[in-house]
Amino acid sequence: MTFPDLRFQRYRQTPALRDFFAEVHLHSRDFIYPIFIKEECDKPEAVLSLPGIYQHSLHSLIDEVAATVDSGINKILLFGIPKHKDPQGSSSFDGNGIIQKAARLIKKHYPNVVVIADCCLCEYTSHGHCGIMENGCLNNDATLGMLKKIAVSYAHSGVDIIAPSGRMDGSVAAIRLALEEAGHPLTPIMSYAIKYASAFYGPFRDAAGAGSVFKGDRKHHQIAPSQRREALRQAMDDIQQGADMLIVKPGMPYLDMIRDVRERCSLPISAYQVSGEYAMLKAAAKAQVFDEKAAFHECLLAYKRAGADTIITYYAKDICQQLQ
Ligand code: PBG
């Protein structure tokens, strides 16, 4: 059948018909909201490169979680900004560290909110690298020992899901084993399986308080933008190591990779619309080149169309308010 019997415009004549035929939908349950918590700050501090995003104190955190829950979201991703940083990042596994305190507090007030915590050393090290440095090089295997301690400490504090983001080889297996041994066999690991060495993480460095100290790049452990097959091998290896769910990050420049992993495995997939993507949309909206709400709605639909089950985004509250 073809024209004139076939007319695609029959599907598009009213909002109700367009909704009827929509192949993917956005729902508040799709979204994960990232929250930054800073030790020893008493009021929320705005992150200048991420309009609308704050570094929260333990006090303002509860209001932020309340607002997040009000907008219909029940999943948050925590990033901690400690007061004390050292070359080993030892405050990351302190039982009274910032994430540990935040997780206990959230769980006390909002036991049904799913708390995911980023498991990486870069927020905790004085040099801003994702692991233990030796003669100017990152020591992968020494870093695994630290990641095990962080994961166990998070799980003890009530964190529901551990998200290793540093791309250390073997980190998923190491964390899985440590969680088993520490009596947390049911804590899922959400691996940043496909995480590119990306310029789009720029504003995150401000938000995580690592902007000024970090010198260098992460190209020794994060994957190059040119790599598709290597990224897929890495994702498949994370699955073998015991990952329960996978993240593709950044989202928008790597929609092809979301589709690729979707077709090759049956694990839940989360797309991360990272800080640079958010900042770019904000800047374009400020310059009045497009309607911001329509633009982020379109981007988020694209992640779902590509095959993501959930989306980590700084727009989570905005999109959910729009959907309500
Ligand atoms: C590492 C981490 C980063 C992001 C999330 N976890 C930064 C990096 O790998 O350099 C970036 C997130 C974003 O840009 O929004 N802990």
Side-chain angles (χ1 to χ4, degrees):
M1 182 167 74
T2 186
F3 182 83
D5 298 325
L6 178 63
R7 286 180 187 272
F8 285 100
Q9 289 178 21
R10 278 179 212 136
Y11 297 106
R12 303 170 191 165
Q13 289 312 300
T14 64
L17 280 174
R18 292 193 289 272
D19 184 59
F20 186 130
F21 295 115
E23 297 173 30
V24 288
H25 297 268
L26 296 177
H27 188 274
S28 58
R29 288 299 185 253
D30 301 333
F31 295 101
I32 302 171
Y33 187 54
I35 299 181
F36 299 93
I37 322 144
K38 188 172 182 178
E39 205 165 6
E40 298 219 322
C41 83
D42 18 270
K43 51 175 178 19
E45 293 173 13
V47 179
L48 296 180
S49 52
L50 292 175
I53 301 296
Y54 295 83
Q55 294 176 328
H56 284 281
S57 65
L58 277 173
H59 187 71
S60 67
L61 170 66
I62 284 302
D63 296 338
E64 180 68 312
V65 176
T68 305
V69 169
D70 274 352
S71 67
I73 299 165
N74 67 347
K75 296 178 268 301
I76 57 176
L77 171 59
L78 297 182
F79 294 99
I81 305 142
K83 187 186 78 166
H84 172 72
K85 298 192 183 203
D86 60 27
Q88 280 75 40
S90 50
S91 57
S92 57
F93 52 85
D94 180 342
N96 272 320
I98 184 67
I99 291 291
Q100 290 80 351
K101 279 190 197 151
R104 286 195 290 268
L105 191 66
I106 296 167
K107 280 290 161 182
K108 187 172 143 211
H109 293 275
Y110 295 95
N112 297 327
V113 166
V114 177
V115 176
I116 309 164
D118 188 77
C119 182
C120 184
L121 280 170
C122 65
E123 290 106 76
Y124 301 89
T125 52
S126 43
H127 42 66
H129 283 281
C130 300
I132 303 297
M133 299 298 283
E134 248 176 44
N135 307 322
C137 293
L138 205 148
N139 184 329
N140 183 88
D141 297 14
T143 304
L144 296 183
M146 304 300 269
L147 295 177
K148 289 162 91 167
K149 288 190 196 176
I150 305 174
V152 169
S153 168
Y154 283 178
H156 279 335
S157 311
V159 168
D160 295 294
I161 299 179
I162 309 293
S165 66
R167 280 303 339 150
M168 293 302 116
D169 282 329
S171 57
V172 173
I175 290 171
R176 183 75 275 152
L177 183 67
L179 289 171
E180 298 286 326
E181 287 175 354
H184 297 287
L186 299 180
T187 300
I189 298 176
M190 183 180 197
S191 170
Y192 284 75
I194 298 195
K195 176 172 178 175
Y196 284 92
S198 172
F200 287 88
Y201 309 147
F204 177 88
R205 305 270 153 80
D206 289 344
S212 53
V213 288
F214 182 66
K215 303 267 182 299
D217 59 52
R218 307 206 196 286
K219 291 180 185 168
H220 293 269
H221 45 104
Q222 297 176 351
I223 195 163
S226 56
Q227 303 307 82
R228 172 169 177 258
R229 297 188 307 260
E230 191 185 340
L232 285 170
R233 281 182 72 198
Q234 191 172 274
M236 295 308 125
D237 184 52
D238 272 8
I239 297 173
Q240 281 221 322
Q241 287 184 40
D244 299 285
M245 47 208 298
L246 307 178
I247 299 176
V248 177
K249 172 186 172 185
M252 193 55 76
Y254 301 97
L255 288 175
D256 58 329
M257 300 311 302
I258 300 175
R259 167 59 45 196
D260 273 344
V261 259
R262 175 71 298 147
E263 284 173 357
R264 279 172 181 75
C265 78
S266 51
L267 274 75
I269 296 171
S270 214
Y272 199 147
Q273 183 186 48
V274 298
S275 57
E277 298 177 66
Y278 176 84
M280 211 160 59
L281 289 167
K282 283 281 176 195
K286 196 173 171 203
Q288 299 185 323
V289 299
F290 55 46
D291 173 50
E292 183 182 4
K293 285 187 174 144
F296 68 69
H297 189 277
E298 184 176 334
C299 292
L300 297 170
L301 263 182
Y303 293 126
K304 293 239 23 208
R305 194 190 60 240
D309 300 297
T310 50
I311 304 166
I312 305 167
T313 171
Y314 303 97
Y315 273 118
K317 282 194 300 184
D318 305 82
I319 186 72
C320 290
Q321 278 152 14
Q322 199 176 308
L323 294 171
Q324 264 173 5

